[in-house]
Amino acid sequence: MWELLLRYAHFLGVMALGGCLLAENLLLGRRLAPATLRRLAVIDAGYGASAMLVLAAGLALWWWQGKAPAFYHSNPVFLIKLALFAVLALLSIYPTVFFLRHRGSRAALTVPSSLVYLLRLQLLLLPLLPLLAVMMARGVGLN
């Protein structure tokens, strides 16, 4: 039963991660009003919380409840999936710092183009995680 709950939490976390990232991209504009900045900070916190849920459930499945750890260690698709998750985490640092720093702003702000680029890149890369998970579940990458 624990494995089922962990897989479900992992799945829900990925869906929430995608929803938060999509919401951030939809709210993002070249200029942001103070209310929108506050909203983006809240959504970004949800993004971080859902990433933590994905990470916690994934680690629990990897080391405790899922298949034997050797199944994962020997699969290059799994290692690519881990690396992609780490890249997404690194790409999210700058937007998070920006939203936290400016959430209390009283004036509209111009959004740096690099922030827009990073959020769009995350949105482009995120769908690769479930693809890699399906490939891994089908045994792709195993000898």
Side-chain angles (χ1 to χ4, degrees):
M1 184 66 171
W2 276 111
E3 183 180 0
L4 178 76
L5 292 174
L6 286 171
R7 290 194 186 282
Y8 186 62
H10 197 62
F11 182 70
L12 285 179
V14 170
M15 288 193 323
L17 195 69
C20 290
L21 191 54
L22 182 61
E24 283 182 355
N25 274 279
L26 289 173
L27 281 175
L28 201 61
R30 287 287 172 209
R31 290 198 50 81
L32 295 175
T36 305
L37 281 164
R38 285 189 296 278
R39 199 171 302 131
L40 280 166
V42 169
I43 292 169
D44 196 68
Y47 180 79
S50 59
M52 289 295 112
L53 176 62
V54 169
L55 182 63
L59 288 174
L61 286 166
W62 181 9
W63 291 105
W64 177 49
Q65 194 64 42
K67 294 175 174 52
F71 171 82
Y72 299 105
H73 296 153
S74 62
N75 191 336
V77 174
F78 175 71
L79 299 176
I80 292 168
K81 185 179 161 198
L82 273 181
L84 180 58
F85 188 79
V87 165
L88 285 167
L90 291 172
L91 291 174
S92 73
I93 292 171
Y94 176 64
T96 297
V97 169
F98 181 86
F99 295 141
L100 286 175
R101 182 176 295 149
H102 298 292
R103 71 177 182 251
S105 177
R106 297 191 188 281
L109 288 177
T110 301
V111 176
S113 58
S114 58
L115 186 132
V116 175
Y117 174 75
L118 289 173
L119 283 173
R120 302 270 156 80
L121 183 59
Q122 289 176 69
L123 197 58
L124 182 68
L125 293 176
L126 183 65
L128 295 176
L129 284 177
L131 173 63
L132 291 168
V134 169
M135 290 171 62
M136 193 178 71
R138 292 286 184 193
V140 175
L142 294 176
N143 297 330

